[in-house]
Amino acid sequence: MGSDAWLEGVLADVPGEPFDNRLNAWRDSLPEGLREVVNRIATAMGGIWLVGGSVREALLGREQFDFDLATTLNPDKLLEIFPRALPTGVQFGTVTVRIDGCDEMFEVTTLRKESDYGDGRRPDVVDFGTSLKIDLSRRDFTINAIAVDLGRQLIHDPFDGRKDLSEMRLRAVGNASHRLSEDGLRLMRGYRFMDQGERGVWLPDEELSTALREQQPMLDNVANERVWHEFSRILTGNNAADVIERMREDGMLSRILPGWDADTSPQHVLQAPKEDLAICRLVLLAAEINHERWRVLEDDLRVLKTSNNDRSRFMSLHRLLGTLPDPTNLSELRRYRFGTGNAIQAHLSIEDTLRPEVSASVRDALQSLRPLTAGDLPIIDGYAIASATGMPMGRRLGQLKSWLHRMQIELDLAGSEQVLALLDVIDWAGGDPESWPGPSWP
Ligand code: ATP
Ligand code: MG
């Protein structure tokens, strides 16, 4: 045996089939680090199998960068043979292994034989086991319940996951209702796995379809951050619009975000900047909720444990709904461009789906709108205003400065004389400064 050999670990307690040529070639292409992990565990007399997403993606011919492995060794033993491993979820038997000089991460999980799922999310007690057969039967969908013995070049597929992969179908391992009732997160995973990227949307079989509707209340037992984690992945998927549509039809959307279930047709045409995609989709879901109810919207998002960033991005985009400028009005266009700042592309992409004609004219008009001659910042500061008006520093002066800034932007003023000249035309001496307009949009 050469130095590039894969060692054999303990044999599985479930039948395996030999690799075909394609799998042999795939094995040869796997990273060095993975072989190191497999060989170290085999040497320590453990059983070791590649499982989950990396097997699924390999069978589909897609590249995969994180590797999930299942082993008969317990976490303590793993930490002993991989001193640099991180105990990322030791109570559930998971350690994350990194190998020197290797970018990949390996999540190695001890085979489990679980007892009750009392809270509908996590098993109460995780008993570590030695049976691959039981471990695979604990997995969610057949396409995720295939294991590979890299040392022996065997594939273990007791639930016919490969058949479902080739027929592009989602099916639960065992009784769908029962499996979703054990762990409500599987509802979210079910919708997520419907989106198979470039391969389109894979539909659940009838049993799983029914279970996805009937077991919905189980979602209430799932930690909100887990729900958001899955939901945000759904929102950014290639076929997000189709999945969202199905979630809406099933009543799942409203269970996650009550009342956020606007018509989904705009979702199908949305072309948002990648970094804002999830948030733009959320804004569309809440497009029929009046922004006056922003506190409720914000609370709904807070409950999901979204980040402060995501929330404030959402709030500013939701506030902008329906506020496109008049494309023939240069002042409005200038202030729109200034006031929306770095949210402008995301806002336009949302409006493209809701008010496509106006949005297109605004885009055209913005194309030929020159940058502001004097830049975005106010040309004159508070001191200059104070000396021109004799006004003391304070709220009133601050408001006047904002007003002048607005006019500077709207009129595209070039210098301080032009701004100061405005003091002769606007009534800054009287009136309530709180009612003076500023440069923001709308
Ligand atoms: P990806 O990494 O692309 O999200 P994945 O299938 O690898 O896909 P992971 O969340 O990494 O998903 O989980 C790895 C494997 O663990 C899954 O393929 C599945 O077999 C199993 N699994 C994960 N979560 C659950 C769950 N909630 N219930 C049952 N099995 C699960
Ligand atoms: Mg994975």
Side-chain angles (χ1 to χ4, degrees):
M1 265 193 211
S3 62
D4 57 353
W6 293 81
L7 303 182
E8 293 181 6
V10 169
L11 180 65
D13 61 344
V14 57
E17 286 167 49
F19 279 12
D20 59 13
N21 288 339
R22 206 166 62 89
L23 285 177
N24 280 323
W26 164 67
R27 188 181 78 154
D28 292 341
S29 74
L30 289 170
E32 262 317 83
L34 178 59
R35 193 157 50 84
E36 175 71 24
V37 173
V38 167
N39 287 355
R40 246 192 252 182
I41 290 176
T43 305
M45 309 303 276
I48 177 75
W49 298 273
L50 194 59
V51 288
S54 48
V55 174
R56 183 187 69 233
E57 300 300 311
L59 291 167
L60 292 169
R62 289 190 290 217
E63 226 177 320
Q64 175 83 2
F65 302 98
D66 48 82
F67 296 91
D68 298 302
L69 294 122
T71 181
T72 55
L73 299 185
N74 65 32
D76 291 341
K77 184 71 185 174
L78 290 171
L79 291 171
E80 189 186 310
I81 63 177
F82 298 105
R84 288 185 54 217
L86 300 172
T88 39
V90 157
Q91 69 276 41
F92 302 109
T94 303
V95 307
T96 300
V97 173
R98 313 203 72 181
I99 299 290
D100 281 328
C102 175
D103 292 337
E104 290 84 2
M105 298 255 264
F106 306 99
E107 296 246 295
V108 188
T109 305
T110 307
L111 293 176
R112 50 185 63 175
K113 60 164 195 275
E114 286 150 1
S115 43
D116 286 346
Y117 290 81
D119 63 357
R121 168 60 199 112
R122 289 287 201 185
D124 292 345
V125 193
V126 176
D127 285 330
F128 299 131
T130 51
S131 163
L132 179 67
K133 187 174 173 179
I134 294 176
D135 182 273
L136 292 179
S137 75
R138 292 293 186 188
R139 293 177 184 269
D140 47 8
F141 306 111
T142 58
I143 60 170
N144 290 344
I146 308 171
V148 157
D149 182 335
L150 290 163
R152 288 194 178 72
Q153 290 155 285
L154 289 178
I155 186 155
H156 304 282
D157 181 16
F159 303 102
D160 272 339
R162 280 171 302 171
K163 184 155 187 280
D164 292 320
L165 281 179
S166 69
E167 291 171 10
M168 307 199 287
R169 174 181 50 221
L170 221 51
R171 196 161 58 89
V173 169
N175 178 284
S177 269
H178 178 229
R179 300 315 310 287
L180 296 188
S181 76
E182 286 175 341
D183 175 2
L185 188 68
R186 291 175 189 156
L187 289 156
M188 296 302 294
R189 291 176 59 87
Y191 288 99
R192 169 153 75 85
F193 285 111
M194 286 181 204
D195 189 344
Q196 288 287 325
E198 282 159 19
R199 283 166 200 265
V201 178
W202 289 13
L203 295 182
D205 69 354
E206 213 178 299
E207 193 186 315
L208 181 56
S209 291
T210 307
L212 284 170
R213 287 188 302 270
E214 290 181 356
Q215 294 300 327
Q216 250 178 46
M218 290 307 297
L219 194 70
D220 299 347
N221 302 321
V222 182
N224 289 312
E225 54 265 48
R226 304 300 305 272
V227 173
W228 172 239
H229 176 77
E230 293 293 333
F231 194 36
S232 58
R233 289 185 70 173
I234 290 172
L235 293 172
T236 51
N238 280 21
N239 305 293
D242 294 299
V243 177
I244 292 170
E245 191 173 313
R246 186 172 177 118
M247 292 177 80
R248 180 173 186 259
E249 282 163 8
D250 287 355
M252 185 74 174
L253 280 185
S254 262
R255 202 169 271 280
I256 301 171
L257 287 164
W260 296 46
D261 54 359
D263 172 42
T264 51
S265 40
Q267 303 278 357
H268 289 274
V269 282
L270 181 72
Q271 301 260 348
K274 203 165 171 250
E275 63 281 8
D276 282 321
L277 183 55
I279 300 300
C280 288
R281 291 205 182 280
L282 281 180
V283 172
L284 285 177
L285 289 178
E288 284 159 17
I289 304 175
N290 194 307
H291 193 72
E292 279 169 14
R293 298 185 55 216
W294 63 271
R295 277 179 205 283
V296 177
L297 294 172
E298 199 171 45
D299 277 348
D300 287 346
L301 288 178
R302 192 171 285 121
V303 166
L304 274 191
K305 304 266 164 50
T306 51
S307 70
N308 291 343
N309 255 345
D310 283 348
R311 259 196 322 275
S312 73
R313 193 67 168 172
F314 172 88
M315 296 316 290
S316 43
L317 287 169
H318 193 268
R319 190 176 62 89
L320 289 171
L321 274 174
T323 67
L324 285 170
D326 172 353
T328 63
N329 182 329
L330 283 178
S331 300
E332 280 199 13
L333 287 166
R334 290 187 187 117
R335 194 158 52 80
Y336 170 71
R337 182 179 59 185
F338 170 82
T340 49
N342 68 8
I344 194 165
Q345 291 310 328
H347 177 231
L348 284 170
S349 62
I350 290 169
E351 297 295 342
D352 287 341
T353 74
L354 299 171
R355 282 160 278 268
E357 271 133 53
V358 195
S359 191
S361 322
V362 171
R363 282 183 183 276
D364 280 349
L366 288 169
Q367 282 272 308
S368 41
L369 188 69
R370 278 181 303 147
L372 292 175
T373 313
D376 280 352
L377 297 177
I379 300 172
I380 57 168
D381 61 15
Y383 294 105
I385 302 173
S387 76
T389 59
M391 212 186 261
M393 291 292 174
R395 179 77 189 160
R396 193 174 183 87
L397 189 138
Q399 290 292 95
L400 179 55
K401 186 179 161 197
S402 289
W403 191 2
L404 293 172
H405 188 200
R406 175 187 178 112
M407 295 185 75
Q408 171 196 324
I409 291 164
E410 290 189 335
L411 303 170
D412 189 19
L413 301 182
S416 52
E417 315 76 55
Q418 285 179 306
V419 180
L420 288 169
L422 292 171
L423 293 171
D424 297 332
V425 287
I426 63 177
D427 178 21
W428 53 266
D432 173 12
E434 298 308 321
S435 69
W436 294 348
S440 65
W441 181 265

